Amino acid sequence: MKLYASLHGVCGLAEGYSDTTVQFFKTLEQAKEHKARLLALLMKEEHEEIITHTDGTQDIIVMNDLESEHEILKIIEVEPLWDTEPKSRHTREYLMWNQIDCEAMYDGDYLPTDMGCIKEATDAMHGTVSSIPMDDWADFVGDMYYRGEAMLDADDVCIHFFRIPKSDTL
């Protein structure tokens, strides 16, 4: 069953980049309504312009172009593989958001499980990060398993991992 992720965050590594959030919805209409409510709230703040996709799935709000203050509202369609069978109730899948490039990794088509996320995190750091403190790595892994979302933030790598809820819990 398809789900729709409504993402709100800043573009790139601007102030507040760690506050990126996602809410999941069963229908595209529900996700668009959520995005519209967020957009209405952001429009109350001073801004320079809005860049909107014609299909209504993405808005970039330019707060201050000189300071590179941009916020993004984006809807990402996901289709979890482990959502329909009762025996897969405990298999969790994740949406990965590349904070630096402001895009869903693999266009949201690949939704890794817990251990897949660990592999993706180590692959992303390979060649770009010489080391990461063990406390930071332990926090990342703990957040994955216990909070349901985590952020890998190391040198030139910044990826958010958001656990996708089972459709019957939405």
Side-chain angles (χ1 to χ4, degrees), residues 41-141:
L41 287 172
L42 290 170
M43 294 299 85
K44 292 179 181 179
E45 297 179 30
E46 189 174 325
H47 61 281
E48 293 179 7
E49 70 174 314
I50 302 170
I51 304 162
T52 302
H53 279 207
T54 55
D55 64 359
T57 60
Q58 178 175 305
D59 295 301
I60 295 179
I61 301 93
V62 179
M63 300 302 203
N64 183 334
D65 202 32
L66 290 175
E67 299 291 324
S68 296
E69 291 180 35
H70 304 131
E71 294 200 28
I72 186 168
L73 300 171
K74 184 171 181 75
I75 296 173
I76 305 160
E77 181 181 287
V78 296
E79 192 164 1
L81 294 173
W82 300 99
D83 191 39
T84 55
E85 296 181 35
K87 65 182 178 184
S88 64
R89 295 292 311 143
H90 301 291
T91 303
R92 301 176 293 211
E93 294 173 279
Y94 292 80
L95 172 65
M96 297 180 298
W97 177 255
N98 182 327
Q99 185 67 42
I100 294 172
D101 296 336
C102 285
E103 64 186 15
M105 294 178 66
Y106 307 105
D107 295 324
D109 292 336
Y110 171 59
L111 306 170
T113 60
D114 305 84
M115 286 309 296
C117 289
I118 301 298
K119 182 190 179 310
E120 287 295 323
T122 55
D123 286 352
M125 290 187 304
H126 181 73
T128 61
V129 178
S130 58
S131 67
I132 183 170
M134 284 307 294
D135 288 345
D136 293 347
W137 182 252
D139 288 344
F140 167 74
V141 173

Side-chain angles (χ1 to χ4, degrees), residues 8-29:
H8 173 223
V10 298
C11 296
L13 296 180
E15 183 176 337
Y17 73 94
S18 62
D19 296 329
T20 299
T21 61
V22 169
Q23 282 192 282
F24 291 91
F25 299 92
K26 285 186 175 184
T27 68
L28 179 58
E29 292 74 31

